[in-house]
Amino acid sequence: MTMSVPERNSGSEEKEEESEDESEIVEESPCGRWQKRKEQVSQGNVPGVESASLAMDTEEGVEVVWNEVLFQDKKVFKTVEDKMKEMFENLMQVDHPNIVKFHKYWLDIGDNHARVVFITEYMSSGSLKQFLKKTKKNHKSMNVKAWKRWCAQILSALSYLHSCDPPIIHGNLTCDTIFIQHNGLIKIGSVWHRLFVNVFPEGGVQGKLHQHRDDKRNLHFFSPEYGSCEDDYAIDIFSFGICALEMAVLEIQANGDSVVSKEAITNAGQSLEDPLMREFTQMCVRHNPRLRPTAHDLLFHRVLFEVHSLKLLAAHCLINNQYMLPENCVEEKTKSFDPNGVMAEIIHKDHPRVQLKYSHVSPLELDKFLEDVKNGIYPLMNFASTRPHPVPRALSMSQEHVETVKTPTPEPQEAETRKVVQMHCNLESNEDTTKTHLTLFLKLDDKLHRQLSCDIMPNDSSRDLVNELIHHSFISEEDGDKIVALLEDALNRQRGSASAITTI
């Protein structure tokens, strides 16, 4: 007798089916660029957010987070609509390598619903809290150099936020809202926390507005004055001090209690062997908020302060002026150097001179170092912080008019703020007319290539042409002056020849 046994899917097949189900696209943004999936994600406590799902950026080919704030009443939505737009436009201006990017937002009002959808950067490597737990589990201690580097990155981000006009107070800085990338880059998430609490009406949205206070495990991150007075930078400094302390000791013991006590925080601080680290953390968690230093001041503390190497200063100079250099210039330059050539020589009176040769420099290590500097791992922290440029960071507009739309409300138009890293232009005179044909080739910092062309008249000025490009969001306002200079140079050359090509 033969028995028939029904076949069962293996565990891997079931997981594959589940994965395929989670990756199913359930909604698209009005422009078609962002595709929402079923899979839910957690990226730190965000007040008012009812759900956060994984999504795909079809233009960049990367995963992002699709966040939704659902309103219970459309009338309430209408009363705060202008405030929300202003808040989200301000968030679009935040652009710092150590802050989770706020990509996009739009308002969606239907017959039976009112909601706000916003897209943020997806941090796949996990939170600082998770990293510290793994480190402690493996019976390892925190590397002091890594601790200093991470503190500098967090303070660089806080200094940026606090120098905005008006200042942005984080208000929810914990080890759960700080994320660490595989390359050691630290990013602060949930920077919109206090803004949401101040704008969204209590009871008007479906998600909790004060859920961070419900998590007793994180109560010790909040300063004594939190919630009882007007928001100030000092509440972020207190939270940072607790984060710095947890990074140093890996975990502040709660001694079986659900809430970390003041005594536990004091004991953790006293356990630090380095007196400068003890002083540094104690300054941040002072009870009186007026006695706490600013983020910028902390960057000059003795435990973090160091004179930047010429190598780091040169790297920042190179990155900031990348648009003036051709692509792969570092690689091409290093190839042309004689390995035995002397690039520098140190002369001593009492012992032989020291020669530094090109063979001592690894092109691969140099490329990696430049990439790390560009990504924000080594910020220039000992300089006065610059205020953020008041121009929203825009995303590509190539799919702006895609007709495959599921949500009905259009997204607000954005200005372009991606930086131009390489550019050249071509001018060709037309023998039959007085017009000149201009072709402008641009390479943006996300490696997108943009080609623009038009006919210009003899009385057209370079500044007017550039202002028009800025108005139509083809270039950022920040790049205006250098493109004006490029066009001026090309026009001057064109006067002396039938055609001219200028490259930067």
Side-chain angles (χ1 to χ4, degrees):
M1 181 174 66
T2 305
M3 295 183 63
S4 175
V5 181
E7 294 183 1
R8 294 186 180 181
N9 289 331
S10 64
S12 60
E13 289 175 345
E14 289 177 358
K15 287 182 180 179
E16 187 176 340
E17 289 178 4
E18 184 180 342
S19 176
E20 289 178 358
D21 184 56
E22 288 182 340
S23 64
E24 179 186 346
I25 297 172
V26 295
E27 189 177 354
E28 286 184 353
S29 64
C31 69
R33 176 173 181 174
W34 319 99
Q35 295 181 338
K36 177 184 176 183
R37 297 177 180 173
K38 280 188 176 181
E39 185 178 352
Q40 299 285 303
V41 294
S42 175
Q43 294 282 279
N45 293 331
V46 182
V49 174
E50 181 69 14
S51 65
S53 305
L54 203 61
M56 177 59 72
D57 177 355
T58 59
E59 205 164 283
E60 298 293 335
V62 297
E63 292 177 318
V64 291
V65 180
W66 175 301
N67 306 269
E68 294 184 14
V69 178
L70 305 179
F71 281 76
Q72 297 177 351
D73 189 341
K74 285 199 290 185
K75 291 182 180 179
V76 175
F77 180 90
K78 286 292 185 182
T79 59
V80 296
E81 185 174 356
D82 290 339
K83 281 186 177 180
M84 285 193 299
K85 287 180 178 179
E86 182 182 0
M87 174 188 68
F88 282 116
E89 288 298 332
N90 286 336
L91 287 172
M92 294 291 291
Q93 297 178 22
V94 176
D95 188 10
H96 189 278
N98 299 115
I99 296 176
V100 172
K101 289 184 177 63
F102 188 103
H103 287 306
K104 192 79 169 177
Y105 83 95
W106 63 94
L107 310 181
D108 179 22
I109 310 173
D111 294 334
N112 301 314
H113 70 274
R115 65 174 181 165
V116 182
V117 181
F118 60 97
I119 306 297
T120 56
E121 184 179 6
Y122 176 49
M123 307 306 296
S124 59
S125 298
S127 68
L128 180 60
K129 172 74 79 177
Q130 293 169 329
F131 176 85
L132 296 177
K133 280 187 176 181
K134 289 178 182 177
T135 305
K136 185 178 181 181
K137 188 177 180 180
N138 294 329
H139 305 288
K140 294 182 179 179
S141 58
M142 174 57 64
N143 181 280
V144 175
K145 287 185 178 180
W147 180 86
K148 291 181 179 181
R149 189 163 61 246
W150 292 352
C151 283
Q153 291 182 51
I154 297 170
L155 287 171
S156 177
L158 288 179
S159 180
Y160 174 94
L161 292 173
H162 296 168
S163 68
C164 289
D165 188 16
I168 296 177
I169 307 302
H170 191 290
N172 189 30
L173 189 67
T174 71
C175 290
D176 286 318
T177 57
I178 298 174
F179 302 92
I180 178 169
Q181 299 289 72
H182 65 278
N183 59 356
L185 179 67
I186 288 284
K187 291 212 174 200
I188 292 178
S190 191
V191 297
W192 39 84
H193 183 274
R194 292 303 293 168
L195 295 174
F196 280 18
V197 171
N198 294 333
V199 170
F200 292 151
E202 186 71 46
V205 297
Q206 292 186 19
K208 293 181 181 179
L209 282 178
H210 299 283
Q211 57 186 352
H212 61 280
R213 300 293 289 183
D214 298 334
D215 189 352
K216 293 183 178 181
R217 296 173 304 127
N218 286 337
L219 279 178
H220 61 293
F221 285 96
F222 298 95
S223 62
E225 75 277 9
Y226 187 90
S228 62
C229 60
E230 189 175 345
D231 288 349
D232 185 69
Y233 75 88
I235 66 174
D236 284 345
I237 298 303
F238 184 94
S239 299
F240 164 75
I242 300 296
C243 291
L245 191 55
E246 287 220 344
M247 284 192 295
V249 301
L250 300 182
E251 182 184 14
I252 301 176
Q253 297 293 337
N255 296 325
D257 300 326
S258 58
V259 180
V260 175
S261 64
K262 293 180 181 178
E263 183 183 359
I265 295 173
T266 302
N267 291 339
Q270 293 298 327
S271 70
L272 298 176
E273 296 179 1
D274 187 334
L276 291 179
M277 290 175 67
R278 278 202 307 272
E279 180 188 83
F280 180 81
T281 54
Q282 287 171 358
M283 290 172 64
C284 299
V285 298
R286 286 169 176 161
H287 184 81
N288 187 344
R290 295 183 179 179
L291 298 179
R292 295 175 206 150
T294 65
H296 185 249
D297 290 340
L298 287 170
L299 287 169
F300 284 89
H301 190 275
R302 290 176 296 170
V303 76
L304 295 183
F305 181 83
E306 61 181 29
V307 177
H308 291 304
S309 66
L310 182 59
K311 177 182 177 181
L312 181 60
L313 293 171
H316 274 276
C317 182
L318 190 67
I319 296 299
N320 293 335
N321 296 281
Q322 198 172 12
Y323 68 91
M324 300 176 64
L325 303 169
E327 191 174 6
N328 300 326
C329 69
V330 175
E331 182 182 353
E332 294 302 321
K333 281 289 184 183
T334 52
K335 284 181 180 178
S336 64
F337 290 145
D338 178 9
N340 295 319
V342 177
M343 59 180 173
E345 191 173 36
I346 303 173
I347 301 175
H348 299 282
K349 292 182 178 179
D350 51 351
H351 55 274
R353 62 184 63 188
V354 178
Q355 290 186 338
L356 302 177
K357 298 183 178 181
Y358 289 107
S359 58
H360 298 162
V361 180
S362 167
L364 291 177
E365 289 181 3
L366 183 59
D367 278 340
K368 184 182 182 303
F369 179 71
L370 288 172
E371 190 67 24
D372 287 344
V373 170
K374 185 178 180 181
N375 288 335
I377 294 177
Y378 302 107
L380 288 180
M381 55 186 179
N382 306 137
F383 292 86
S385 57
T386 56
R387 292 187 178 274
H389 198 279
V391 180
R393 172 179 42 81
L395 301 165
S396 177
M397 303 173 65
S398 62
Q399 297 192 29
E400 196 74 26
H401 304 290
V402 175
E403 296 181 358
T404 308
V405 175
K406 293 186 180 179
T407 46
T409 309
E411 302 175 54
Q413 187 177 359
E414 301 170 18
E416 175 66 272
T417 60
R418 286 172 296 181
K419 302 289 181 60
V420 173
V421 296
Q422 191 177 358
M423 57 187 178
H424 69 273
C425 68
N426 181 26
L427 289 171
E428 294 182 358
S429 299
N430 192 325
E431 296 179 359
D432 300 329
T433 65
T434 56
K435 296 179 180 179
T436 301
H437 188 73
L438 165 67
T439 304
L440 187 62
F441 303 91
L442 305 174
K443 181 181 177 182
L444 305 182
D445 56 12
D446 62 353
K447 298 183 180 179
L448 178 75
H449 292 262
R450 181 167 282 168
Q451 178 177 330
L452 307 168
S453 61
C454 68
D455 290 328
I456 58 176
M457 301 296 292
N459 59 343
D460 287 332
S461 72
S462 300
R463 176 57 65 181
D464 289 341
L465 290 170
V466 168
N467 287 341
E468 192 171 347
L469 292 175
I470 294 171
H471 175 74
H472 292 291
S473 301
F474 288 121
I475 63 172
S476 73
E477 187 175 347
E478 218 169 304
D479 287 326
D481 290 340
K482 65 187 181 188
I483 295 180
V484 167
L486 175 77
L487 294 178
E488 288 287 353
D489 183 58
L491 288 170
N492 290 335
R493 291 171 182 269
Q494 193 262 349
R495 294 188 185 102
S497 61
S499 63
I501 297 177
T502 302
T503 304
I504 289 185

